[in-house]
Amino acid sequence: MKSRPRRLGALAVFLLLLCSLAHSPGQASSASAYFTAVNDQLMPLNDETMPFYSNGVLYVSGRLFEGGELGVSYSRHPSLGLATLYMHGSTLDLRFDLAGQVAYDKEGNFYSGYAIERGGMVFFPLRLVCQYFNLSWSYCETDIIPLIRVKNDNVILSDTNFIYAAATLMNDRYSEYERSQSSRPPVTPGPGGTDAELPIQAAEGQKVYLLFDGSGALEILPALGDVQATFLLSAEQMENGDLLRALAAGGHAAALRVLGETPEAAEEEILLAREAMWRAACVRLELVWYGGEAALAELWEEQGCLPVHFTLDASGEQASGLLRSIGRHREDVAVYLGDSGCVGMLPELLSGLKEGSYRLSAWRLTA
């Protein structure tokens, strides 16, 4: 019982020592790279630990559950095609049928979500895992790349203090990661390729989600043709019934751009937007986009909403450069294109994505 104060004291000394170190922020070269942490431990930065989004769901590596720090362990059963997460000293376990893409527990209860195997490592849907095992998680911006942090009741440092304490280690690990990426052999361009260092060709089943600011929707919609996209609208913009009906008719998704900085203000926006969407187009509000620092994950869950994130901020970028950026990703990519200023480059962008066999989709609550 007396070890916790000594541990806190040691951490305080550690933080004071770090205060004397000059922090030199880095610049991320890959928007799809993320740090991961388990409680107060920064994980290695490599392909086996790298989170990714698929169908709007955030997936994390089974490596996060191998040390037992979270009280949840990971086991693999290749002969059965199963990956299992189970809690120590408890009857809780969550079983993932990799081939059948289903999740269930030992009581036979099924859950909405499935695991994905990549490069021999199993990645799990973070939200489902945290809900089932009563864990929490956070998405935080750092000076280098974003941080995904999974926590239980043993966590000590706040996200802000953890990022500050781990700043030097983050810089070192990201530098190593960049060197490892640059040492990979380049991909030979396809026929006729000149400037691009790799072909603009989708991985198997790879999706691209195009996100636009709702203020330019009426100019953007004609340029999309049969392509379905996602539009970020404020609660005020959702009062435009004609716009909501146009989006619904084209199969597009509308996400609420939450501006409120408190749970109370954000909840009020959600309720107003939900009422407006149903009144105008009989469509239920399912998506939210939030750019603030406050942790509102519980609110999104309570309201049955899925938070939308973008992998690439391509507002103002040319089609050729954006196609090369997308081509560097081998997982689903969400691209924010801004307002109506992107209309001129859309034909070239859409043509290139279709030629590369990418699946263009609006963001959905369910796959």
Side-chain angles (χ1 to χ4, degrees):
M1 295 298 294
K2 295 182 180 180
S3 62
R4 187 173 177 87
R6 288 199 296 270
R7 188 179 178 189
L8 289 171
L11 283 167
V13 172
F14 179 55
L15 287 172
L16 287 173
L17 289 172
L18 280 171
C19 288
S20 63
L21 298 176
H23 171 61
S24 56
Q27 296 296 326
S29 62
S30 173
S32 65
Y34 301 89
F35 289 122
T36 51
V38 171
N39 283 339
D40 303 300
Q41 176 185 353
L42 186 69
M43 300 292 292
L45 185 62
N46 53 46
D47 291 344
E48 285 196 346
T49 62
M50 191 67 69
F52 61 87
Y53 282 91
S54 178
N55 290 325
V57 176
L58 177 60
Y59 284 82
V60 294
S61 169
R63 292 278 185 242
L64 273 67
F65 306 100
E66 289 185 339
E69 175 71 17
L70 294 168
V72 177
S73 290
Y74 160 60
S75 64
R76 180 76 188 277
H77 314 280
S79 61
L80 300 176
L82 289 178
T84 302
L85 295 176
Y86 59 93
M87 178 166 280
H88 307 160
S90 166
T91 60
L92 292 178
D93 76 355
L94 198 53
R95 308 173 185 193
F96 295 85
D97 183 336
L98 300 177
Q101 293 192 325
V102 295
Y104 58 95
D105 60 23
K106 64 174 60 177
E107 304 298 330
N109 301 308
F110 284 80
Y111 298 86
S112 177
Y114 55 88
I116 296 175
E117 184 175 7
R118 286 188 172 183
M121 175 50 60
V122 178
F123 291 78
F124 297 95
L126 180 56
R127 172 179 291 190
L128 170 60
V129 171
C130 287
Q131 288 176 343
Y132 185 81
F133 292 106
N134 196 29
L135 304 174
S136 63
W137 69 280
S138 55
Y139 174 100
C140 306
E141 295 292 341
T142 76
D143 289 335
I144 311 172
I145 54 176
L147 165 70
I148 306 295
R149 192 177 179 209
V150 187
K151 298 164 280 190
N152 64 6
D153 293 339
N154 294 326
V155 67
I156 295 176
L157 296 176
S158 67
D159 287 338
T160 300
N161 287 340
F162 175 80
I163 291 171
Y164 187 76
T168 301
L169 185 56
M170 285 181 174
N171 273 310
D172 291 344
R173 290 200 172 165
Y174 188 72
S175 295
E176 293 176 5
Y177 177 73
E178 281 192 313
R179 286 195 292 271
S180 70
Q181 296 298 301
S182 62
S183 65
R184 291 184 174 183
V187 181
T188 305
T194 54
D195 185 35
E197 67 262 75
L198 62 144
I200 310 304
Q201 186 68 37
E204 183 178 356
Q206 185 179 0
K207 289 184 179 181
V208 173
Y209 302 95
L210 301 180
L211 279 62
F212 300 93
D213 188 277
S215 62
L218 295 180
E219 292 80 16
I220 294 168
L221 286 175
L224 289 174
D226 60 353
V227 172
Q228 296 176 340
T230 305
F231 290 82
L232 312 180
L233 288 79
S234 66
E236 182 179 356
Q237 289 171 330
M238 286 195 173
E239 293 295 331
N240 185 338
D242 290 337
L243 173 58
L244 293 177
R245 284 186 287 272
L247 295 179
H252 304 285
L256 172 64
R257 184 190 289 269
V258 177
L259 303 177
E261 298 181 356
T262 65
E264 294 77 15
E267 183 176 12
E268 182 178 357
E269 289 181 59
I270 290 174
L271 294 176
L272 290 173
R274 178 164 288 158
E275 180 183 351
M277 287 186 65
W278 188 258
R279 183 175 61 247
C282 293
V283 174
R284 187 178 184 277
L285 175 66
E286 296 181 335
L287 307 174
V288 294
W289 184 88
Y290 184 67
E293 297 181 356
L296 297 179
E298 291 185 2
L299 176 60
W300 314 143
E301 181 181 338
E302 291 172 0
Q303 295 296 325
C305 292
L306 179 70
V308 173
H309 303 279
F310 51 78
T311 313
L312 299 175
D313 185 347
S315 51
E317 192 169 342
Q318 297 298 312
S320 56
L322 178 53
L323 285 169
R324 287 194 294 272
S325 296
I326 294 173
R328 296 187 181 98
H329 295 263
R330 310 312 292 163
E331 69 280 346
D332 294 347
V333 184
V335 183
Y336 176 66
L337 290 162
D339 56 21
S340 58
C342 68
V343 169
M345 56 89 81
L346 279 180
E348 181 181 351
L349 175 65
L350 298 179
S351 175
L353 292 174
K354 290 179 178 179
E355 289 178 6
S357 300
Y358 289 90
R359 297 170 60 190
L360 300 174
S361 174
W363 209 299
R364 305 295 183 197
L365 181 61
T366 55

